[in-house]
Amino acid sequence: MKKIFLILMVIFISSGISSGTEYHGLVSVEDYYSNDSSSAYSFNLLNTRLRLDANKLNESGNLSFHFDGRERNNLGTKDYNSKYIKSERIDTLNLEYAASDRFYLAVGRMWPKELSLERVDGVNLIFQSTAYGLGLFGGMKPNPYTEEFNSEYTTAGGYLFYRKEDTSASLAFTSNGYKSGVDRQYIYGQLSSSLTKILRFYGSVTADNNQLTNNTDLTNLILELSYRPTYGRNLTFGFNQFRSFRLYKSMEFDIANTEQQSYYVRGDYRFYDRYTLYGKYERQSLQYRAYLTETKSSNIYQLGMRNDNLMNKDITLDINAIMADSYSSSYNSYNVEAGKFFTERFQMVFNGSYMQTKYTFTDYTDTVTNYAAYGYWFLSKKWNLSVSYDGRQGKDYSTNTVISRITYKF
């Protein structure tokens, strides 16, 4: 990828000088270091990312190029490397052509414009009017395990979408193939709408074709209704369901038919112009053959308070507690976070938490203490630097992680 980065920068910087191409993007270098007392060695990884959006590549201004790629280098003695983890990854690499507001064409590696669940090495074509649109896509599908280009995985589909000021909706059908067989077929839909000025609804659904029974399985479902009568006051009711899906041709093993459902209500209330009281209750249920009846449900309670200007010193403070009787265990977690901008360009955030977990079957109790510090330097409009330290101390182990990142935006 080093060669790709260099070639891209040379090509587009030189073309920009002669044609007035507009560039936007970023280059970031991140160092990740972690040690664990239970491990014989530490990890030290250097991650480099380049995102480049080049617009107005032609005189008409309707041709653009997009690239987003990452490279990882191991600086330590050991790596997470395996045949499924590659050092170089390309997330996006495509050309876009928008002849008018009604026509759009993209060629290369991309997420189809109105379907972020899929990735395709191929073509995405859109016809649209002011509010409605039709999209078609197809081509190869990056290897789902390594993200490498290949000819064994394929994908194709289409979608309809609707966009207005207070409402957006889409409905898509996708068919994934593997070695000339049907690997997965699913339907995805989403709706986001402001029902009134104070009431908003969001929903999404994914349904898979079960090739063994020829039925339709509800894979994922998210429903959320938010009530916001005034600024700083909000009440939200939600439901979600997640179920594992199967790849019928490329997957050489069976998966457990696990299903998790969750009902929740959360709210926040702002008072005295700086305090916010918030809370959440969530009821989860897990359908899994390994769990007994009494371990299939979980109740989670959260209560917290934020202060945006502690002692008139521009200090933000957040204190919250979480109590849960989880699957075959129960835990209590207490968390505090404080942050402050010392100058307009420098911010520090400190975080600490204490969690105690009791396991039902073994009657074992574990305690974990977390402590962290984050520093953000906004050196200029283009440059920023961040450094974070995260420590964890358990009964029988400890971990320390340091992440530093420098980013240049252009």
Side-chain angles (χ1 to χ4, degrees):
M1 188 174 290
K2 293 178 181 177
K3 294 181 178 179
I4 295 177
F5 285 0
L6 181 59
I7 293 172
L8 288 173
M9 294 301 291
V10 171
I11 290 176
F12 286 101
I13 290 176
S14 60
S15 65
I17 294 174
S18 59
S19 64
T21 301
E22 296 180 355
Y23 298 102
H24 303 284
L26 63 83
V27 179
S28 69
V29 180
E30 176 188 282
D31 181 77
Y32 171 90
Y33 173 82
S34 180
N35 65 53
D36 190 322
S37 62
S38 62
S39 176
Y41 45 81
S42 303
F43 292 100
N44 192 0
L45 303 173
L46 187 69
N47 299 287
T48 305
R49 180 188 176 193
L50 169 64
R51 193 190 75 217
L52 174 65
D53 299 304
N55 302 314
K56 298 182 180 180
L57 292 177
N58 58 352
E59 292 183 0
S60 301
N62 51 27
L63 186 64
S64 60
F65 171 84
H66 306 280
F67 175 83
D68 194 350
R70 295 168 287 162
E71 180 181 32
R72 186 194 64 195
N73 291 284
N74 176 34
L75 304 182
T77 58
K78 294 288 184 178
D79 194 359
Y80 297 106
N81 191 26
S82 72
K83 65 179 180 179
Y84 294 138
I85 302 177
K86 302 300 180 182
S87 295
E88 298 178 349
R89 294 202 175 203
I90 296 177
D91 298 313
T92 303
L93 177 62
N94 62 70
L95 281 169
E96 288 186 357
Y97 176 71
S100 65
D101 293 337
R102 298 180 179 273
F103 178 77
Y104 166 89
L105 173 66
V107 180
R109 172 166 291 188
M110 75 202 83
W111 283 270
K113 202 167 187 179
E114 300 292 331
L115 184 61
S116 58
L117 298 182
E118 272 299 306
R119 199 114 68 92
V120 56
D121 288 327
V123 177
N124 182 205
L125 182 66
I126 293 178
F127 303 93
Q128 60 186 5
S129 63
T130 304
Y132 296 91
L134 166 67
L136 301 170
F137 65 91
M140 301 297 108
K141 182 180 176 69
N143 186 301
Y145 304 103
T146 66
E147 297 192 10
E148 292 180 305
F149 178 83
N150 72 98
S151 59
E152 295 183 335
Y153 293 89
T154 60
T155 183
Y159 48 85
L160 300 169
F161 61 91
Y162 173 79
R163 295 285 182 270
K164 288 201 76 172
E165 182 177 351
D166 296 326
T167 301
S168 66
S170 63
L171 180 65
F173 170 77
T174 301
S175 179
N176 298 147
Y178 178 71
K179 292 184 177 180
S180 301
V182 178
D183 207 21
R184 183 192 181 195
Q185 290 181 327
Y186 68 91
I187 296 173
Y188 171 77
Q190 71 86 24
L191 171 64
S192 178
S193 178
S194 295
L195 306 178
T196 66
K197 291 183 178 180
I198 62 175
L199 202 61
R200 185 166 186 83
F201 171 81
Y202 173 80
S204 69
V205 60
T206 306
D208 276 61
N209 175 37
N210 190 320
Q211 297 184 31
L212 300 179
T213 64
N214 204 28
N215 295 325
T216 300
D217 293 336
L218 184 62
T219 311
N220 294 333
L221 177 65
I222 300 175
L223 302 173
E224 193 169 271
L225 185 66
S226 297
Y227 172 68
R228 187 181 293 273
T230 60
Y231 169 74
R233 298 181 183 183
N234 179 64
L235 187 63
T236 299
F237 299 90
F239 169 81
N240 57 58
Q241 174 182 303
F242 299 99
R243 176 186 294 174
S244 53
F245 64 85
R246 180 174 176 177
L247 303 176
Y248 289 89
K249 295 298 180 181
S250 64
M251 189 177 289
E252 299 178 352
F253 51 87
D254 291 330
I255 60 173
N257 189 22
T258 306
E259 178 183 310
Q260 178 176 297
Q261 293 183 343
S262 174
Y263 300 86
Y264 60 90
V265 56
R266 68 170 182 263
D268 56 74
Y269 177 78
R270 188 176 179 87
F271 57 99
Y272 293 132
D273 205 31
R274 67 175 66 179
Y275 297 96
T276 300
L277 181 67
Y278 62 93
K280 180 179 180 180
Y281 168 72
E282 184 171 1
R283 170 75 174 182
Q284 295 181 351
S285 62
L286 183 65
Q287 303 298 324
Y288 185 53
R289 59 188 177 213
Y291 283 96
L292 303 175
T293 302
E294 60 267 24
T295 63
K296 289 185 177 181
S297 63
S298 172
N299 294 285
I300 304 172
Y301 307 85
Q302 183 185 36
L303 183 64
M305 180 175 286
R306 289 189 297 268
N307 187 317
D308 296 336
N309 188 10
L310 185 66
M311 298 183 296
N312 293 320
K313 299 295 184 180
D314 293 324
I315 299 174
T316 60
L317 179 67
D318 190 321
I319 301 174
N320 67 81
I322 301 174
M323 294 157 284
D325 54 343
S326 190
Y327 312 111
S328 71
S329 66
S330 62
Y331 68 89
N332 297 325
S333 177
Y334 308 96
N335 314 278
V336 59
E337 182 174 283
K340 177 179 172 58
F341 272 95
F342 291 92
T343 68
E344 292 183 355
R345 298 183 181 275
F346 177 62
Q347 182 189 22
M348 286 292 297
V349 178
F350 300 93
N351 180 283
S353 67
Y354 174 82
M355 184 170 70
Q356 184 179 69
T357 305
K358 184 176 182 179
Y359 298 93
T360 305
F361 297 139
T362 61
D363 201 30
Y364 174 75
T365 301
D366 186 26
T367 59
V368 177
T369 303
N370 273 80
Y371 36 90
Y374 310 90
Y376 305 92
W377 290 267
F378 304 93
L379 304 175
S380 67
K381 291 183 178 180
K382 295 184 177 183
W383 289 92
N384 64 76
L385 172 67
S386 65
V387 178
S388 68
Y389 167 77
D390 190 281
R392 172 174 293 194
Q393 181 67 55
K395 271 189 175 182
D396 304 314
Y397 69 94
S398 64
T399 63
N400 295 278
T401 302
V402 178
I403 301 175
S404 57
R405 180 191 300 119
I406 186 166
T407 302
Y408 172 74
K409 296 181 179 181
F410 55 92

